[in-house]
Amino acid sequence: MKLSTKGRYGMKAMLDLAIHSNEGIVSLKSIADRQGISENYLEQLFAALKKSGIVKSTRGAQGGYELGAKPKEISVGAILRALEGSLAPVDCVMENDASKCSRQENCVTRLIWEKIRDGINDVVDSITLDQLIEDYDKMSSKSDFIYYI
Amino acid sequence: MKLSTKGRYGMKAMLDLAIHSNEGIVSLKSIADRQGISENYLEQLFAALKKSGIVKSTRGAQGGYELGAKPKEISVGAILRALEGSLAPVDCVMENDASKCSRQENCVTRLIWEKIRDGINDVVDSITLDQLIEDYDKMSSKSDFIYYI
DNA sequence: TAAATACCAAGTAAATTACTTGGAATTGAT
DNA sequence: ATCAATTCCAAGTAATTTACTTGGTATTTA
């Protein structure tokens, strides 16, 4: 039940992008340098994020990425699902998928998986990027030290 | 963010054990046969369950397993944690662990992981085996078909 | 025209998962 | 006393997944 590096790095990168987006378009190289993530690997993550409309890109020199919507409209859930796929704990309760097993109506353990799925979705969909930016600003103003993302 | 077969099979097996425990001690072979899981693999799962006190064993012929506590006292969370380890989505927010990173105090993404962890724990710790047995009994009485676990 | 960037497809080493194999130890039934 | 049924235990292994890397092409600005 662990997130992969896709979710972890992607979340860090998205927060980094959000925090630096007042400076205009942000290159992957700058995110990679600040966050200590491989730039080539970030490319793959941002391809997925772009496909979901969470970021938009500008090609060419001085190009880079920016948020695809307002921070308030981008949830942690959307980011994680773009990167990790459905957050359902087992395939048989994936939201949209057809891989539902034949036992679906009469399965007791299925009830458990649905509750876990809903619990996770409720949490991640209730947190938006702007809340995290706020958290970051608070930490920045309080601490003398560097404020990690 | 998927459960492994340990969690999935183990949960099924535990429910099977709970439902059949009125018939006395239950052998792994019988669980394996009913649930279509490899008996040898179940052994590994039950070793972990036993270590956590969730089941207790009787060796020798006519031996097997029984619940280590009343169904009401065994939560889905305890079962899943025995089999999968901590349900925290990333290592840095594992409940008991020392692998906390140096940034712990000033990390914004950490706040996300903690909320997800707490959301999952709240759900799984609130479901107990006796509730699932009740669900199973309800399904059994309503449906003409077989009532899967 | 050159540098900086996004975009793309494939390859790969390491780790993890999902088991299997081959036993030894224990116990109840005959 | 023996045998069959069981738990218990340690290793081995094939397949899959993860976490990248490599080696480009396309696009845009300076």
Side-chain angles (χ1 to χ4, degrees), chain A residues 86-142:
Chain A
S86 165
L87 301 175
V90 304
D91 285 347
C92 72
V93 296
M94 276 168 52
E95 294 83 352
N96 40 15
D97 197 65
S99 79
K100 288 172 182 167
C101 75
S102 54
R103 316 174 164 190
Q104 33 182 346
E105 295 307 322
N106 295 74
C107 182
V108 179
T109 48
R110 183 186 167 87
L111 302 173
I112 307 172
W113 313 142
E114 284 173 343
K115 282 180 187 170
I116 295 175
R117 178 198 63 192
D118 293 344
I120 295 171
N121 282 336
D122 285 351
V123 170
V124 296
D125 290 336
S126 74
I127 311 173
T128 56
L129 267 189
D130 73 318
Q131 292 168 32
L132 297 172
I133 294 170
E134 222 173 275
D135 290 341
Y136 173 79
D137 289 340
K138 266 183 220 158
M139 279 192 190
S140 304
S141 62
K142 273 188 191 167

